[in-house]
Amino acid sequence: ELPIAKMVQAAVKKPVFLEHDVTAGGVAELEVGVAKGVNRGVVIAIGTALAAAFIINGEIFHPHPSVGEVGHAPLPNNRPCVCGKTGCVEMTVSGGALQRNFESLTGKRLTGEQIVALSQTGDHHAKELVDEFVHGLGFSITWLASTIAPEVVVLAGGLATSGDFLSNALDEQLSEMIGIQLKPEIRLSTLGGNSGCIGAGLVAHNRMK
């Protein structure tokens, strides 16, 4: 409940706004990124953790701070999460999760991007974790397809820049999982790691109008 925006504004004597970083990234994708013109979509940021921004009727839908925290929905695993629960999606589906889980299996510390690349060389542990990652992400998107029926799912964040392998694997996974639901088009963000910064600027600009 700390009024941090008001406190910073008082210190810098400039208008200050507070926004969730992934929501800001969603604004960037919707206004200047690959989600421009999309009516219903989801921007999924895959980084240290996992979160999403929802696009409903061509606008970002964010009525409550916890909306978009898809990383804390449950998966059937018993990995403990920092939130105090076990089995949260982001304990399997995130760059941080890949790093931690690979290190616990092998003792080696690699980045999520390195583990994805290693999985394509036949490394057993890397492939096992990446397959689990893709299955968990596909499971989550299938639930979203059953509720808001996104036309497009944008993958953003560090792992989204690892090439087409991840998006192609996810597309195949969705083809297996999705039945009567609308199968969304998978797009990779072109904004790189700057979507949150770009979105923050757009959020401030929009609120100053």
Side-chain angles (χ1 to χ4, degrees), residues 94-178:
S94 66
L98 280 179
Q99 187 178 65
R100 289 189 301 273
N101 297 336
F102 186 78
E103 186 174 9
S104 70
L105 288 174
T106 67
K108 300 176 183 177
R109 189 169 182 81
L110 301 178
T111 66
E113 292 86 347
Q114 289 172 325
I115 295 165
V116 170
L118 189 61
S119 72
Q120 300 171 65
T121 68
D123 183 276
H124 172 70
H125 292 304
K127 186 177 186 307
E128 176 185 327
L129 292 174
V130 171
D131 285 349
E132 185 186 29
F133 176 107
V134 172
H135 183 274
L137 184 55
F139 181 88
S140 303
I141 292 174
T142 300
W143 273 104
L144 293 173
S146 301
T147 51
I148 65 171
E151 305 157 317
V152 170
V153 170
V154 177
L155 301 182
L159 280 181
T161 63
S162 60
D164 293 333
F165 168 76
L166 190 60
S167 60
N168 290 339
L170 177 60
D171 188 69
E172 291 179 11
Q173 184 71 67
L174 290 175
S175 293
E176 292 180 12
M177 288 182 160
I178 286 183

Side-chain angles (χ1 to χ4, degrees), residues 33-98:
V34 295
K36 189 172 183 177
V38 168
N39 186 51
R40 293 186 319 281
V42 180
V43 179
I44 301 179
I46 309 171
T48 306
L50 185 80
F54 298 133
I55 301 167
I56 305 291
N57 295 327
E59 297 181 349
I60 295 295
F61 178 74
H62 195 235
H64 186 275
S66 67
V67 171
E69 293 292 350
V70 295
H72 293 286
L75 276 181
N77 71 65
N78 61 356
R79 295 184 178 118
C81 181
V82 293
C83 74
K85 304 291 185 180
T86 58
C88 289
V89 172
E90 68 179 42
M91 293 297 101
T92 297
V93 186
S94 66
L98 280 179

